[in-house]
Amino acid sequence: MTEKEFKLLGMDVEKGRWILVVIGLLINVCLGSIYAFSIFRKPLESLWGITSSQSGYPFMVFLAVFALTMPIAGNLMAKWGPRYTALLGGLLVGGGWMAASFSADITTLTLLYGVIGGAGTGIVYGCPIAVVAKWFPQKSGLAIGLTVMGFGISALAVAPFLKAMINNPDIGILNTFLYSGMVFLALITLLAQFLSFPPANWQPTGTNSEMVPVAATPAAPSLTRQEMLKTRYFYALWTTYTIGCLAGLMAIGIASPMGTEVAKLDADMATLAVSLFAIFNGLGRPLFGTITDKLGPRHTAMASFTLILSVSLLVFFFGHGNAVLYLFTFCVLWMCLGGWLALAPTSTGIFFGKKHYAQNYGLIYTAYGAGAILGTLISGNIKDMTGSYLDVFPIVATLATIGIIVAAIGLKPEKVVKTG
């Protein structure tokens, strides 16, 4: 929605811009359905007689293509604007899901769902974030956090419907892809119509001066992607983002088997636990976005890694057979992973400005893809080599320690100035 459209509806722009946060949240609920893909894996294994590793291929390819497409989406947004970029992405998301329903084997499903659906998600994902970042030029952490919260809670909201359709003999697993794609196509393309940037240099009334790092001073109000790549902030933020996602996804990928094999929960309780973790994953986004507004990227990143380090050591030394500690540990780990999905985009605006935000965050988001792939591969290999999921956590603790060091050095502002 534009400033003029807000006024035509008789809405105050200051309050009306929060509608864009709600729209972004709803779009992310559609996109975040990838986090419910585990529901498809067992039925696919039974349908095609494939292994558990093979049934995970669509998920891994989806996440990889999702992350790799983000930089391209930033360039599209600069040319087309968020509305038409999100419209294209919505067509690909819906089309990928619907096309997947015609798959005859796991390879075809991986190509149709993983590549087409993943590309569509990568194109759409950055649009509401970029829109909200520009409509909230100061202290945007909370608004961005609420926007991306939809992705985190999506599995909790969408999974029951997907499971019900899969179990319905009149629908089945492949038609579940078809019907889901139709719904996502309709919702995303409809909601995309409301996405637009504010006028150039728009500021909310009563904007206060704030303290920002030198990278976002009036001397360098908005860095281009090429200028961003010349700063240490980019490499420090990309590295810490990768470590935050890698550590979180290593733990998340083993949440359910960790619950049954190490914490000694029964299968139903382990499933309920994952639903609880998903809530914390969603809540972590506005929480860490708000903390980033108050403490800045450096201290927020250090706090996140300190939490990850602490709970990793706790569960490694005292986690065997301890259900309470398992629940506490994984709530924190899922919350911290969700937090990085708000901390990183908020930090991008703080360090590099908002003018080229879509292109810049698109490149930084590739850290998520690197973390997703490495985290999944490392956690699986450690279990195969050692025979215990607990042995993942010394690696997570080590990564968190490295993250603290990189954040402390690389994200430290060179000087602080006032802007306004």
Side-chain angles (χ1 to χ4, degrees):
M1 298 178 72
T2 64
E3 187 176 15
K4 183 178 180 181
E5 288 170 336
F6 282 129
K7 292 179 179 179
L8 286 174
L9 293 173
M11 300 175 64
D12 175 70
V13 177
E14 304 292 317
K15 296 179 180 178
R17 59 184 174 156
W18 286 96
I19 293 176
L20 295 169
V21 174
V22 177
I23 289 170
L25 185 150
L26 293 174
I27 289 175
N28 272 285
V29 169
C30 296
L31 302 180
S33 55
I34 178 60
Y35 280 176
F37 185 78
S38 60
I39 290 173
F40 290 96
R41 295 184 65 170
K42 286 294 183 183
L44 288 174
E45 291 165 20
S46 299
L47 178 66
W48 290 326
I50 57 178
T51 67
S52 57
S53 296
Q54 289 174 312
S55 69
Y57 291 163
F59 178 77
M60 288 187 62
V61 170
F62 189 107
L63 290 181
V65 174
F66 170 20
L68 291 173
T69 310
M70 282 281 288
I72 300 172
N75 293 332
L76 289 177
M77 220 181 308
K79 295 179 181 179
W80 298 353
R83 181 175 297 170
Y84 293 112
T85 303
L87 181 61
L88 170 63
L91 292 172
L92 290 174
V93 170
W97 277 77
M98 288 189 288
S101 68
F102 299 99
S103 299
D105 51 50
I106 193 63
T107 301
T108 306
L109 180 68
T110 300
L111 292 174
L112 296 176
Y113 176 80
V115 176
I116 299 176
T121 300
I123 291 172
V124 177
Y125 181 77
C127 295
I129 296 175
V131 167
V132 168
K134 291 195 175 187
W135 276 103
F136 292 82
Q138 279 79 35
K139 305 298 183 184
S140 58
L142 174 61
I144 290 175
L146 289 171
T147 301
V148 298
M149 183 173 71
F151 207 100
I153 64 173
S154 177
L156 192 65
V158 174
F161 297 100
L162 296 178
K163 190 172 184 179
M165 286 193 287
I166 291 172
N167 293 336
N168 187 327
D170 295 327
I171 299 176
I173 184 169
L174 292 180
N175 280 331
T176 297
F177 283 105
L178 176 64
Y179 297 150
S180 299
M182 293 169 64
V183 173
F184 296 150
L185 174 64
L187 287 176
I188 295 172
T189 54
L190 173 63
L191 294 170
Q193 306 310 309
F194 298 95
L195 297 178
S196 63
F197 292 134
N201 301 317
W202 180 86
Q203 293 285 333
T205 57
T207 298
N208 295 320
S209 296
E210 62 175 328
M211 306 297 280
V212 296
V214 67
T217 67
S222 291
L223 304 186
T224 64
R225 183 178 288 177
Q226 290 72 26
E227 292 167 336
M228 176 183 73
L229 288 170
K230 296 177 182 178
T231 71
R232 65 177 169 84
Y233 294 114
F234 167 76
Y235 297 98
L237 182 57
W238 194 92
T239 300
T240 53
Y241 196 9
T242 300
I243 293 172
C245 292
L246 197 162
L249 289 166
M250 280 178 69
I252 283 176
I254 63 172
S256 183
M258 175 82 178
T260 54
E261 296 181 26
V262 177
K264 305 303 181 183
L265 298 176
D266 61 42
D268 290 337
M269 283 300 297
T271 301
L272 288 175
V274 172
S275 297
L276 174 66
F277 303 151
I279 294 173
F280 276 82
N281 181 265
L283 293 177
R285 301 171 192 231
L287 174 62
F288 275 86
T290 302
I291 294 173
T292 306
D293 285 339
K294 296 183 181 299
L295 300 183
R298 180 182 180 229
H299 290 104
T300 307
M302 292 173 67
S304 172
F305 286 128
T306 300
L307 285 171
I308 293 170
L309 171 62
S310 301
V311 297
S312 295
L313 293 176
L314 277 174
V315 76
F316 176 69
F317 287 110
F318 308 108
H320 195 275
N322 193 330
V324 174
L325 184 57
Y326 160 73
L327 292 172
F328 171 75
T329 297
F330 277 77
C331 282
V332 172
L333 290 170
W334 282 57
M335 180 184 70
C336 288
L337 175 65
W340 272 100
L341 273 298
L343 197 166
T346 303
S347 300
T348 300
I350 291 173
F351 286 127
F352 313 117
K354 301 292 177 68
K355 183 176 181 181
H356 305 288
Y357 183 90
Q359 299 97 309
N360 291 342
Y361 184 58
L363 185 58
I364 287 171
Y365 192 79
T366 58
Y368 177 89
I373 295 170
L374 291 173
T376 302
L377 293 176
I378 292 173
S379 61
N381 286 329
I382 290 174
K383 170 60 166 62
D384 291 339
M385 288 187 294
T386 68
S388 173
Y389 286 110
L390 282 176
D391 291 318
V392 170
F393 290 94
I395 305 298
V396 175
T398 302
L399 289 168
T401 303
I402 296 171
I404 292 171
I405 296 170
V406 174
I409 298 173
L411 298 180
K412 182 180 180 180
E414 294 176 354
K415 70 176 182 177
V416 180
V417 298
K418 282 191 174 182
T419 65

